[in-house]
């Protein structure tokens, strides 16, 4: 079992905190495994098993506990002394009003609570209001490329492994399969479970055919500015007439199911986040591959999506950048840190070099500026750094 140290090291300092620990991510990205690894670490430091209560709401033996009052009773009956109890609730979005029982247990018992979910409601303002800010959230992603190499027992990247990662994504369990057909069947199964559980059941969306078409459009236009008019034309060509309101409600459903992420524009000169002409990126390129309308996803946009996902994994808030001259692929920020990134598949000639590095010509601040590509030659120019994509993916300090 691959140890998800990237996330464990962020969560450890909260093991004994009364803050509710929320782990949220797309289905099958490895949240349950992280819970298991936390439980194992607690046992290794001497926590007795009776002080660890684990409930997975996808297991039939816990089906009755989807009633939040019964869940509350179940937990309280197992708290027998005044020592700390560690509560683990896996896929808690299956419990209506789960926030009530979680908040009540936190306030009334000596407990440390960990919850996971596959729906972005766990990150919503509504939840924040109910829990009064008494929580800390961790976004769990499919495996990073560095984790993929570790899972495969490899110390160095190879072209073959990277091509596989770029095409089929990095949901952990897909690496159990070798053949193309087996991987595709697994990914279809994951996608269908997302559609059934996180869209049809939870979000009450019945037109799954339309849902599929809209996702297909997003996959086909990864990294391009979103236009409601363009998607309406696409759907019209598919024989579907829908309103703008319907389109945006389905896009919201895709985001809530964590299949895609909306990325807002940032005005570099006005230093403001803009709410128009946003872009979308997919959470996992394997899911995108099976929903793609073409033989393969455009490799240039796949590379851009990989960089975006890696920035999220590395803990950045990410925007696309608007400048007076045009745009920058990404503006990424952390507390006390800000970077600009341009992404290219390769830099084969001077025209490409001038275009990618020249995008920074109107930005006069001193924040670090990078161009990332698969080239192994260093094209660093005029103070703008050039990074090989693989080096970027494997750099823990970036």
């Amino acid at each position: 079992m691959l140890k998800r140290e990237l996330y464990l090291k962020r969560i450890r300092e909260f093991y004994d905190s009364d803050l509710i620990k929320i782990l949220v991510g797309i289905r099958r990205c490895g949240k349950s495994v992280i819970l298991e690894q936390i439980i194992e670490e607690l046992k290794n430091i001497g926590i007795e098993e009776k002080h660890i209560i684990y409930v997975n709401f996808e297991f039939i033996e816990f089906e009755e506990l989807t009633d939040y009052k019964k869940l509350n009773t179940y937990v309280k009956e197992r708290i027998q002394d005044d020592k700390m109890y560690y509560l683990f609730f896996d896929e808690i979005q299956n419990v209506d009003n789960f926030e009530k029982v979680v908040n009540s247990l936190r306030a009334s018992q000596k407990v440390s609570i960990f919850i996971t979910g596959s729906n972005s409601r766990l990150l919503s303002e509504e939840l924040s209001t109910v829990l009064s800010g008494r929580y800390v959230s961790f976004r769990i992603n499919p495996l990073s490329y560095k984790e993929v190499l570790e899972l495969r027992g490899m110390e160095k990247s190879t072209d073959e492994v990277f091509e596989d990662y770029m095409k089929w994504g990095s949901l952990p369990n897909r690496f159990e399969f070798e053949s193309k057909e087996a991987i595709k069947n697994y990914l279809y199964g994951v996608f269908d479970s997302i559609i059934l559980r996180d869209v049809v059941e939870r979000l009450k969306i019945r037109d799954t055919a339309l849902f599929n078409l809209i996702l297909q459009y997003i996959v086909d236009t990864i990294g391009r500015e979103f236009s409601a008019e363009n998607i309406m034309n696409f759907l019209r060509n598919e024989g579907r007439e829908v309103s703008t309101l319907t389109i945006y409600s389905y896009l919201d459903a895709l985001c809530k199911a964590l299949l895609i992420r909306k990325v807002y524009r940032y005005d570099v000169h006005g230093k403001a986040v803009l709410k128009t002409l946003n872009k979308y990126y997919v959470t996992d390129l394997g899911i995108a591959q099976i929903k793609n309308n073409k033989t393969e996803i455009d490799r240039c946009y796949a590379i851009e999506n990989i960089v975006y996902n890696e920035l999220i994994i590395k803990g950045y808030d990410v925007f696309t950048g608007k400048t007076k001259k045009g745009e920058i692929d990404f503006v990424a920020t952390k507390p006390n840190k800000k970077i600009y990134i341009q992404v290219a598949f390769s830099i084969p000639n001077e025209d490409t070099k001038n275009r990618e590095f020249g995008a920074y010509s109107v930005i006069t601040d001193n924040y670090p500026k990078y161009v990332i590509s698969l080239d192994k030659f260093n094209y660093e120019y005029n103070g703008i750094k050039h990074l090989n994509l693989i080096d970027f993916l494997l750099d823990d300090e970036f």
Side-chain angles (χ1 to χ4, degrees):
M1 184 184 295
L2 175 71
K3 192 165 188 178
R4 305 295 301 272
E5 183 61 29
L6 176 69
Y7 301 102
L8 291 171
K9 68 182 180 182
R10 296 173 182 173
I11 303 170
R12 280 192 188 104
E13 64 181 291
F14 297 98
Y15 279 9
D16 291 324
S17 170
D18 70 345
L19 291 175
I20 298 162
K21 280 69 68 177
I22 301 177
L23 284 63
V24 63
I26 189 173
R27 284 188 183 272
R28 304 295 176 257
C29 71
K31 302 182 298 296
S32 298
V33 168
I34 293 174
L35 287 192
E36 292 171 12
Q37 292 175 351
I38 293 172
I39 289 171
E40 190 61 30
E41 289 193 354
L42 291 173
K43 290 179 179 178
N44 288 340
I45 61 173
I47 303 300
E48 296 179 87
E49 194 159 343
K50 67 180 181 180
H51 288 103
I52 297 172
I53 300 173
Y54 174 80
V55 179
N56 187 326
F57 294 100
E58 294 197 317
F59 291 176
I60 195 167
E61 55 263 40
F62 297 120
E63 188 173 9
E64 287 189 357
L65 301 185
T66 54
D67 179 315
Y68 76 97
K69 291 183 179 178
K70 290 183 179 180
L71 175 60
N72 187 63
T73 300
Y74 175 87
V75 172
K76 285 191 170 182
E77 286 177 348
R78 281 156 180 76
I79 295 178
Q80 303 292 329
D81 55 47
D82 59 359
K83 292 183 179 179
M84 175 77 79
Y85 279 75
Y86 299 84
L87 313 182
F88 296 86
F89 301 136
D90 206 354
E91 298 295 353
I92 200 169
Q93 78 276 354
N94 293 325
V95 181
D96 289 332
N97 297 313
F98 71 83
E99 60 273 17
K100 291 183 179 180
V101 64
V102 167
N103 201 34
S104 175
L105 289 169
R106 182 199 63 79
S108 64
Q109 306 293 322
K110 188 176 181 180
V111 293
S112 177
I113 302 173
F114 301 77
I115 65 177
T116 78
S118 303
N119 190 293
S120 64
R121 180 167 175 255
L122 272 75
L123 297 174
S124 69
E125 292 180 3
E126 176 188 352
L127 180 63
S128 178
T129 300
V130 174
L131 297 183
S132 305
R134 299 298 296 172
Y135 72 92
V136 58
S137 63
F138 305 90
R139 299 195 183 200
I140 310 302
N141 302 280
L143 301 181
S144 68
Y145 187 56
K146 185 171 184 178
E147 288 178 313
V148 168
L149 295 182
E150 186 180 346
L151 182 68
R152 290 180 174 273
M154 301 174 63
E155 294 185 0
K156 294 184 178 180
S157 172
T158 66
D159 291 344
E160 180 182 8
V161 171
F162 180 75
E163 289 286 336
D164 175 80
Y165 168 76
M166 182 167 58
K167 182 170 185 176
W168 298 114
S170 57
L171 292 177
N173 291 113
R174 78 93 171 157
F175 293 97
E176 297 175 7
F177 309 101
E178 295 291 335
S179 73
K180 173 182 175 181
E181 287 305 313
I183 294 171
K184 286 176 67 176
N185 286 338
Y186 170 75
L187 292 173
Y188 274 117
V190 174
F191 179 75
D192 288 345
S193 73
I194 292 171
I195 292 294
L196 176 64
R197 299 178 185 180
D198 296 331
V199 179
V200 174
E201 291 181 2
R202 297 295 304 172
L203 302 177
K204 310 302 183 187
I205 289 178
R206 302 302 178 187
D207 192 345
T208 56
L210 178 59
F211 185 90
N212 271 282
L213 282 172
I214 292 176
L215 177 58
Q216 179 185 308
Y217 177 85
I218 294 298
V219 168
D220 290 344
T221 58
I222 285 172
R224 279 162 268 189
E225 288 182 350
F226 176 79
S227 162
E229 181 180 353
N230 287 345
I231 193 171
M232 288 177 76
N233 289 335
F234 166 78
L235 292 171
R236 197 171 291 120
N237 290 336
E238 297 292 330
R240 302 297 300 263
E241 288 283 349
V242 297
S243 68
T244 303
L245 180 62
T246 298
I247 288 172
Y248 279 109
S249 69
Y250 275 57
L251 284 170
D252 184 58
L254 282 164
C255 290
K256 285 181 176 177
L258 305 176
L259 281 165
I260 63 174
R261 293 180 173 124
K262 180 190 288 188
V263 185
Y264 291 105
R265 289 193 305 157
Y266 178 82
D267 186 336
V268 173
H269 302 288
K271 295 181 174 57
V273 177
L274 307 174
K275 298 298 184 180
T276 59
L277 298 177
N278 47 270
K279 297 182 179 182
Y280 291 93
Y281 292 93
V282 295
T283 303
D284 181 74
L285 283 169
I287 298 293
Q289 181 64 38
I290 64 170
K291 304 310 295 181
N292 184 26
N293 195 33
K294 305 168 187 174
T295 304
E296 289 192 358
I297 298 172
D298 185 296
R299 291 160 65 84
C300 295
Y301 288 112
I303 292 291
E304 190 175 313
N305 206 131
I306 285 171
V307 171
Y308 170 78
N309 285 344
E310 184 65 24
L311 287 167
I312 295 297
I313 289 170
K314 293 182 185 303
Y316 286 92
D317 292 321
V318 185
F319 308 88
T320 61
K322 174 187 174 295
T323 70
K324 295 175 182 177
K325 183 178 179 181
E327 66 175 39
I328 301 298
D329 286 331
F330 299 119
V331 180
T333 63
K334 285 182 178 181
N336 303 316
K337 186 173 184 180
K338 178 178 176 180
I339 58 174
Y340 300 108
I341 291 179
Q342 278 287 94
V343 183
F345 188 83
S346 64
I347 305 175
N349 51 49
E350 282 298 312
D351 286 343
T352 306
K353 180 179 177 181
N354 291 336
R355 182 179 69 247
E356 300 299 338
F357 285 84
Y360 292 119
S361 62
V362 294
I363 302 178
T364 56
D365 62 41
N366 293 319
Y367 293 110
K369 303 170 183 66
Y370 299 89
V371 174
I372 297 177
S373 75
L374 277 169
D375 299 284
K376 295 181 180 179
F377 182 82
N378 189 347
Y379 288 101
E380 185 167 333
Y381 171 74
N382 199 27
I384 300 168
K385 299 176 182 179
H386 174 248
L387 284 177
N388 171 264
L389 174 61
I390 305 301
D391 292 341
F392 164 71
L393 295 176
L394 301 181
D395 187 352
D396 288 334
E397 304 302 320
F398 194 89

